[in-house]
Amino acid sequence: MAIHVVTLCTGNAARSVMLGALLREHVPDLEVSTSGTHVIEGMPMSWRTRDAITSLGLEVPDHRSRQATVAELDRADLVIALAREHVAWMRRVHPAAAPRTATLKRLARDLDPAGTPFGARVADLGLDAVDLGSWEDVVDPAGGDIDVFLDCAREIAEHFHELAPRLR
């Protein structure tokens, strides 16, 4: 059975969508969904997000913003948050998924390479109790010009490529 990964940001309009596109393209054996913590449901991605995804050489997904749901979070093997505020939200709103929720940067740094079962490697991180640091945030590009979105996409891609081989 495929590992189910949820990417999580605030509005599900930029960061989580970019990371979701990377996961789908480069780790095809995953089940990927993207969602947000404070979403206006059904909004299309902006042209800036679309252009940022294209700049990474990725196919632009057919996307509409979605609020994270209990069912989705309960099924997730891993929730990759784009900032510590999203991890804090998970700890408050859906603590059952907190042991499987971490920032992209923390996972890129701390998740052990394949060798033991994936769930055990995630559990070994003790994610529901780690102290969250400002170094973990990928800054939200919302309201920024295209260069801000492109920089955000490059930052996400850099950390994604560190993490990708460990998602097995």
Side-chain angles (χ1 to χ4, degrees):
M1 200 158 109
I3 295 171
H4 178 217
V5 175
V6 175
T7 64
L8 185 70
C9 69
T10 306
N12 188 223
R15 294 172 289 176
S16 61
V17 181
M18 293 174 198
L19 180 55
L22 281 160
L23 285 163
R24 286 184 194 101
E25 177 74 23
H26 295 290
V27 193
D29 51 337
L30 295 179
E31 177 188 346
V32 179
S33 59
T34 71
S35 57
T37 61
H38 296 89
V39 173
I40 299 171
E41 290 278 346
M43 297 297 293
M45 74 178 84
S46 72
W47 67 268
R48 290 174 185 90
T49 299
R50 184 190 66 239
D51 287 359
I53 291 170
T54 302
S55 78
L56 298 175
L58 302 172
E59 188 172 318
V60 177
D62 181 22
H63 175 78
R64 296 285 178 169
S65 58
R66 298 184 327 87
Q67 177 71 30
T69 66
V70 170
E72 169 186 47
L73 299 174
D74 283 346
R75 283 188 333 101
D77 296 296
L78 182 65
V79 178
I80 305 175
L82 277 299
R84 62 198 149 129
E85 71 185 79
H86 309 126
V87 176
W89 178 87
M90 186 69 72
R91 290 176 179 178
R92 257 187 347 268
V93 174
H94 196 64
R100 301 181 313 276
T101 303
T103 62
L104 171 64
K105 290 180 180 182
R106 179 174 296 276
L107 290 167
R109 185 189 79 176
D110 294 350
L111 185 63
D112 284 338
T116 58
F118 182 76
R121 289 184 286 131
V122 171
D124 286 347
L125 295 173
L127 297 174
D128 54 341
V130 297
D131 290 330
L132 304 172
S134 59
W135 62 270
E136 297 185 66
D137 295 344
V138 173
V139 176
D140 191 349
D145 290 329
I146 186 63
D147 61 319
V148 175
F149 279 76
L150 296 174
D151 288 345
C152 180
R154 281 191 292 274
E155 180 180 10
I156 289 169
E158 173 188 328
H159 295 290
F160 162 78
H161 288 299
E162 293 173 32
L163 175 61
R166 303 169 194 197
L167 295 175
R168 307 205 190 292

